[in-house]
Amino acid sequence: MRISFACLLLLSATVSCHNERNRKFINQHINEGMSVNRCDQVITSRKITETGSNTCKDTNTFILASTNEVNKVCGLAGVPYGVGLTKSLQPFPIVVCTLRNQGARRPRCQYRGRSSTRYIAIRCEGDFPVHYGRDIVHLD
């Protein structure tokens, strides 16, 4: 009985960790209504910074799609790519926000936005994305 309870507790903690990492991914990288002119506003309101600090991120990419559409990349809508990443089979519209004032700290982050359509490479845990690896120009 104790072993079963310990296993259940460990499984619960693992699922909670995956959920937390997926929620962070969604906060940092999914925004259907994003535009190149909203980088400062969205990054500030979502409190996006370098992990564990108030330092502004050099770049942050937003995927202009629903969470459900991006989740599908971790399943049948993606293929293995590089080391531990999954590449989307279809391109997504994205906005890349690049820091203009290097070395700045939150809340003084100022970004320039650029839009494009790219394949995305993400790290998945189970059926959910937890890390944005990169965007890819597909040349076949």
Side-chain angles (χ1 to χ4, degrees):
M1 183 69 163
R2 284 185 176 189
I3 292 173
S4 296
F5 179 72
C7 289
L8 183 61
L9 192 60
L10 181 60
L11 179 62
S12 176
T14 302
V15 169
S16 177
C17 180
H18 291 313
N19 287 343
E20 184 178 319
R21 293 185 72 196
N22 178 246
R23 280 193 297 271
K24 182 177 178 184
F25 176 89
I26 292 167
N27 180 63
Q28 287 189 338
H29 300 293
I30 297 180
N31 186 331
E32 288 184 81
M34 186 64 182
S35 72
V36 295
N37 299 320
R38 296 183 60 226
C39 287
D40 293 348
Q41 174 195 358
V42 172
I43 288 174
T44 298
S45 69
R46 293 186 178 199
K47 299 179 180 169
I48 298 170
T49 60
E50 289 292 341
T51 302
S53 75
N54 273 337
T55 303
C56 305
K57 285 183 77 174
D58 287 335
T59 62
N60 194 77
T61 302
F62 291 98
I63 305 163
L64 282 65
S66 70
T67 300
N68 190 43
E69 288 301 307
V70 177
N71 286 349
K72 290 178 184 177
V73 174
C74 293
L76 296 176
V79 294
Y81 178 82
V83 178
L85 297 175
T86 302
K87 183 182 102 170
S88 63
L89 293 174
Q90 298 296 320
F92 284 89
I94 62 171
V95 170
V96 179
C97 300
T98 305
L99 187 63
R100 292 186 299 161
N101 54 340
Q102 294 299 316
R105 297 179 62 78
R106 188 174 159 261
R108 292 179 174 77
C109 307
Q110 296 176 353
Y111 290 89
R112 177 175 292 112
R114 171 182 55 82
S115 66
S116 60
T117 301
R118 298 279 192 268
Y119 293 82
I120 59 171
I122 58 177
R123 178 167 296 115
C124 299
E125 289 182 1
D127 293 331
F128 301 100
V130 295
H131 175 74
Y132 187 89
R134 60 180 295 206
D135 52 90
I136 306 160
V137 177
H138 192 69
L139 302 172
D140 269 350

